Amino acid sequence: MIDRDRYPVDPWRLIEARYDEGGVSETIFAVGNGYLGLRGNHIEGRGAHEHGTFINGLHETWPIRHAEQAYGFAEVGQTIINAPDAKVMRVYIDDEPLSFDEMEVHEYSRSLDMRTGVLERNVVWVTPSGKRVRMRDERMVSFDERHLAVLRLELTVENADAPVTISCQLLNRQDGAGIYAGDPMVSRTTGAAGFDPRKAEKISERVLLPVEYWQDGLRSALSYRVADSGMTVAVLADHIIETENDYSARSLVEPDIAKNVFRVQAKAGVPIRISKIVSYHTSRGVPPRELVDRCRRSLDRVGVEGVDALFEGQREWLRAFWDRSDVRIAGHDDLQQAIRWCLFQLAQAAARADGNGVPAKGLTGSGYSGHYFWDTEIYVLPFLTYTSPQWAKNALRARVMMLPAARRRAAQLNEAGALFPWRTINGEEASAYYAAGTAQYHINADVSFALGKYVLATGDRDFLRREGADIAVETARLWATLGFWRGTNGDSTFHIHGVTGPDEYTTVVNDNLFTNVMARYNLRFAARVVQEMAADDPPAYAALVDRTGLDAGEREAWMRAAEAIHIPYSDALGIHPQDAFFLEREVWDLEGTPASMRPLLLHYHPLVIYRFQVLKQADVVLALFLQGNHFTDEEKLADFDYYDPLTTGDSTLSAVVQSIMAAEVGYQDLAREYFEQGLFVDLGDLHSNAADGVHVASTGGIWTALVSGFGGMRDHDGALSFDPRLPADWPELTYLLQWHGSRLQVTVTADALRVEVREGEPVMFTVRGAAQRASVGEAAIVALADQGPVRHGRPTLRQIEDARRDDGTRLSASVPVTSTSIPIIEAYED
């Protein structure tokens, strides 16, 4: 899955042993902190798949042009934009540029150390005149100081004197000549199929309007106002040169570029060291001059404390991160390396988001336009909640801040309460294709689900009562009006029609099982929150009523709807249909579909896909995991067996969920297979689009697959439990959890599970139904004599065909294998 000659195994570092200027390399060697992200472009600043410097939330808006307009369609698009690029530090020897295309390279290595958070590159090359040059450059985006990044370069001409020039630049690439082409307003970058809805919109008009720019000594400043969104951004860079060689410095500053050029008369063996300290600040409306002052203060602080203090602070920050977040697998360094890389990506995407959302690609690329989706709540929040709860609360607060826009959106769709946007940066809906966008109402339940999990895992009822309860109330209100009652009073059921579930190959359906199951949770959760607040904290309840206009009868209405909500089930097939009419469709012949026609969304018109039983990603299976306490073991196995062979895996959100449920129902080998598909989705570029950025949701899913899949952790209704399902060749799995303020370490072997409390109060839990207790100094050790049935092989389409034949259902699976060449306007996840 990964080229081990190029990327050798190291359990703590990602290493690149040969030079690569490709887009995947830029993505997997990106560094960031959740606020600022720098793609892994080389400092020479030349050829690249994408020169990326991204700031969470820094975006431009543009009018969405619908081929046919209708009421309520999203009107304003949003896309992440490039902040000024500070990565460039160009090197010239004898006035010849460092260029990997032309130079004679003797040594090359690059590594991302996940203990230090530093990207380091070492190069030795020989010039045409025989001068041997050794160079080391480092790059770090501070976790401790969210507005700061440091780039350091050390260069030595080892065997001769030589003139050396180092040009350190700030460059506005967003508006650079030749960067974008196409429509005067917006054009999409395209893939081999002629389009790719997973890529970002590219804006060809001027985006960053220069405001203040200046040079003061070795300090440069650029600042801008974003043309249509009105956001502001400033960047300052300071430079420190350390060398015993003679040198001179000159500078240049213009609206879109600032240069600090060092000319050094290098002596043989005498090193040159340059530190470039960079500060970025952004705002939704603060004048650029104020942001320049903030950047100045950030840099002044480094001047007092020193650059080395930033690197030491980074090591300490990551030491604490790994002490509460690491997951260890004994005897598998290749898997260990990839696991730690995934967990490190979660820190880089979320740690310092500080109230912003978590973009689907983090800050490693422009894929999905930098938008926030349901990924955060379902795939990223579990890791944050159980290892770094403050980060989880920050992400949930981002949703609280979106409530005013969500209320407006619900009213626009003729519903009560709030409807969170399917994709957004600024809180407004930016999905141009409602069938696979706005119709995914389940995002409301996903947000409430994440809120409920956070509260039950942390005990943070203060946040719930001050802010979180507003989410519960407003999302429940939407379900109460979106759904409807059918039948007589004595035998009536509650239905939700015209929605799209997680599977985007089946859209605008009635009674999608995932949606109904999650809506039921949402309604019950909101009713319970309101009841508990009224009983336990009347002042907080009164404030909630004042904020939301809550009516006394709403709670009862929510409970009635929750208890009566329709959960589809087929007695004939013994499974839960994905929606009311899913089983009436023909089965897509996946085995007969050539690999060249995958993913389906790039080769078939949506109306072709929508007619068949074929899944982009796990839908029912995801519901089995999230709401597993509402399904029997037999139902989980039957549903998994039915839907697994129908699932294309065209979404990177799917494999991790399939791994979790495969482990639970006994498909041990299959669980391992799906796990590795998710684990290497970016490092192995398994979906051929890692160049556009890291699939952050998949990295979060990897943690959940380890902890909840193989580690067997569940916390349904706030009750912590374990039922491990370890792969046969894994001798030991160890992971860490925070539960109600206590810090746990869980160790699983084939024979036993050990839970120890490293810090905090004793913890009660169950292991395969048996009550257990662990406390500091008194670990719980439970023998695991039997892990349940182990099933070999995998579910096949033949099982589905046999079941449907017994049911007398039509089986035709006539599927075209040539593209209709009609593009899908928008689809989410690859």
Side-chain angles (χ1 to χ4, degrees), residues 732-743:
E732 184 175 286
L733 169 68
T734 301
Y735 57 91
L736 306 162
L737 296 172
Q738 292 195 37
W739 183 257
H740 289 271
S742 294
R743 299 178 62 189

Side-chain angles (χ1 to χ4, degrees), residues 392-442:
K393 181 163 74 172
N394 289 343
L396 289 167
R397 290 205 74 249
R399 293 298 189 184
V400 172
M401 300 299 289
M402 291 181 191
L403 269 174
R407 291 184 180 106
R408 293 193 298 270
R409 183 62 172 161
Q412 191 176 36
L413 270 71
N414 206 38
E415 305 298 343
L419 175 58
F420 284 105
W422 177 242
R423 59 186 303 168
T424 191
I425 297 176
N426 62 15
E428 302 290 342
E429 179 62 78
S431 177
Y433 187 53
Y434 74 87
T438 300
Q440 296 205 45
Y441 290 87
H442 67 82

Side-chain angles (χ1 to χ4, degrees), residues 42-85:
H42 294 280
I43 63 171
E44 293 75 52
R46 294 185 171 87
H49 173 82
E50 179 180 22
H51 290 286
T53 300
F54 301 111
I55 297 176
N56 195 345
L58 180 64
H59 71 283
E60 179 60 307
T61 57
W62 44 275
I64 297 175
R65 295 177 173 177
H66 297 280
E68 295 185 19
Q69 184 70 43
Y71 177 79
F73 279 13
E75 297 178 351
V76 179
Q78 307 150 36
T79 188
I80 196 169
I81 56 176
N82 258 291
D85 186 2

Side-chain angles (χ1 to χ4, degrees), residues 39 254 368 388 413 466 516 561 592 601 611 653 760 782:
R39 273 177 70 81
E254 296 176 353
Y368 300 117
S388 300
L413 270 71
R466 281 187 298 103
N516 286 14
L601 67 91
R611 295 187 186 107
L653 298 178
V782 183

Side-chain angles (χ1 to χ4, degrees), residues 79-402:
T79 188
I80 196 169
I81 56 176
N82 258 291
D85 186 2
K87 298 189 296 292
V88 180
M89 300 176 75
R90 289 178 176 155
V91 175
Y92 303 81
I93 308 294
D94 292 330
D95 297 325
E96 296 294 330
L98 165 61
S99 172
F100 280 90
D101 294 334
E102 301 174 2
M103 68 188 194
E104 180 185 337
V105 180
H106 285 206
E107 297 177 20
Y108 173 89
S109 69
R110 181 162 64 155
S111 65
L112 176 61
D113 193 320
M114 292 169 282
R115 293 162 298 187
T116 65
V118 175
L119 176 65
E120 177 180 318
R121 186 184 67 166
N122 289 276
V123 184
V124 175
W125 82 93
V126 177
T127 70
S129 62
K131 295 172 182 175
R132 181 180 174 89
V133 182
R134 182 176 296 275
M135 186 175 79
R136 178 170 68 93
D137 60 84
E138 296 177 308
R139 180 180 305 167
M140 183 264 285
V141 176
S142 174
F143 285 109
D144 223 14
E145 299 278 353
R146 74 191 290 252
H147 297 283
L148 287 174
V150 181
L151 299 98
R152 294 203 294 202
L153 183 152
E154 186 171 309
L155 183 147
T156 305
V157 183
E158 295 185 329
N159 63 347
D161 296 349
V164 176
T165 300
I166 301 173
S167 178
C168 300
Q169 302 180 14
L170 299 177
L171 182 62
N172 173 17
R173 293 188 183 276
Q174 176 66 41
D175 300 299
I179 298 297
Y180 302 126
D183 184 87
M185 283 302 296
V186 177
S187 61
R188 290 188 182 273
T189 57
T190 59
F195 82 104
D196 192 335
R198 303 165 298 182
K199 293 181 179 290
E201 296 81 7
K202 302 298 184 182
I203 302 173
S204 58
E205 289 189 343
R206 178 89 196 190
V207 172
L208 295 176
L209 307 179
V211 181
E212 180 177 335
Y213 54 95
W214 48 256
Q215 184 75 31
D216 181 10
L218 297 180
R219 184 175 286 188
S220 306
L222 299 177
S223 68
Y224 302 88
R225 186 180 304 278
V226 183
D228 289 325
S229 74
M231 293 196 69
T232 51
V233 57
V235 55
L236 267 67
D238 215 346
H239 302 79
I240 302 170
I241 180 168
E242 302 169 87
T243 184
E244 295 180 4
N245 296 297
D246 293 334
Y247 72 91
S248 63
R250 67 179 181 87
S251 61
L252 166 82
V253 64
E254 296 176 353
D256 290 321
I257 189 171
K259 291 184 180 181
N260 285 270
V261 181
F262 301 92
R263 294 175 173 175
V264 184
Q265 297 301 315
K267 300 296 184 181
V270 180
I272 306 160
R273 189 182 198 189
I274 295 177
S275 298
K276 183 178 184 180
I277 309 98
V278 186
S279 176
Y280 289 88
H281 280 265
T282 53
S283 171
R284 292 186 182 270
V286 170
R289 175 163 293 183
E290 165 63 18
L291 298 184
V292 168
D293 289 342
R294 295 179 188 180
C295 290
R296 195 197 312 262
R297 290 194 292 270
S298 297
L299 293 182
D300 289 346
R301 191 162 58 253
V302 178
V304 172
E305 298 174 357
V307 176
D308 288 342
L310 283 176
F311 283 85
E312 179 59 30
Q314 189 85 333
R315 284 191 292 271
E316 285 301 306
W317 192 98
L318 282 165
R319 182 201 58 75
F321 168 75
W322 290 115
D323 189 52
R324 65 178 185 271
S325 309
D326 197 14
V327 179
R328 299 188 296 275
I329 298 177
H332 293 275
D333 281 354
D334 57 336
L335 301 182
Q336 188 69 74
Q337 177 190 45
I339 289 166
R340 287 193 173 122
W341 182 86
C342 287
L343 302 185
F344 187 70
Q345 296 310 310
L346 290 165
Q348 293 201 132
R352 299 311 308 273
D354 290 11
N356 284 319
V358 179
K361 293 288 190 179
L363 299 169
T364 64
S366 61
Y368 300 117
S369 305
H371 289 173
Y372 318 137
F373 294 83
W374 70 309
D375 295 21
T376 303
E377 284 73 28
I378 296 302
Y379 291 88
V380 177
L381 257 295
F383 171 75
L384 305 186
T385 294
Y386 300 110
T387 64
S388 300
Q390 181 64 45
W391 304 358
K393 181 163 74 172
N394 289 343
L396 289 167
R397 290 205 74 249
R399 293 298 189 184
V400 172
M401 300 299 289
M402 291 181 191

